[in-house]
Amino acid sequence: MARVVGSVVATQKDRSLIGRKLMIVQPVNSEGKPTRSEEVAADTVGAGIGEYVLLVRGAGARRATVSQVQNDVNDCSIVGIIDRFDK
């Protein structure tokens, strides 16, 4: 889980990232408190700044984005927007 805190604009990037919205996310625990440093994630669901989101990493992140590029460099994707935390 993470909170979207910003976006990234990169005019020069690997071709597997062309056309992808890149967001800065702050991983959080179930109380919404930061757990580690910020990172960049490819957004597949149209998340906005301030929203809490679900993340996947590794092979799951590469499969979450439709890419015709054989060597996809993506390692973190936003795959859901969290409506609420029930604990």
Side-chain angles (χ1 to χ4, degrees):
M1 297 182 295
R3 183 171 181 266
V4 179
V5 296
S7 62
V8 173
V9 177
T11 55
Q12 298 296 315
K13 56 192 166 215
D14 186 89
R15 69 184 189 122
S16 69
L17 297 175
I18 293 173
R20 295 189 186 173
K21 182 176 161 189
L22 302 175
M23 304 301 282
I24 302 168
V25 294
Q26 171 67 65
V28 298
N29 62 19
S30 62
E31 295 172 352
K33 304 234 192 283
T35 59
R36 57 183 179 272
S37 59
E38 297 170 347
E39 59 188 297
V40 176
D43 183 10
T44 68
V45 296
I49 294 173
E51 291 187 296
Y52 288 95
V53 295
L54 296 174
L55 299 177
V56 292
R57 291 185 175 79
R62 287 183 285 283
R63 289 189 191 111
T65 55
V66 178
S67 176
Q68 302 303 324
V69 179
Q70 190 171 25
N71 295 319
D72 192 339
V73 300
N74 183 32
D75 196 47
C76 185
S77 290
I78 298 170
V79 296
I81 297 173
I82 296 172
D83 295 318
R84 68 176 189 259
F85 294 97
D86 292 331
K87 194 171 170 185

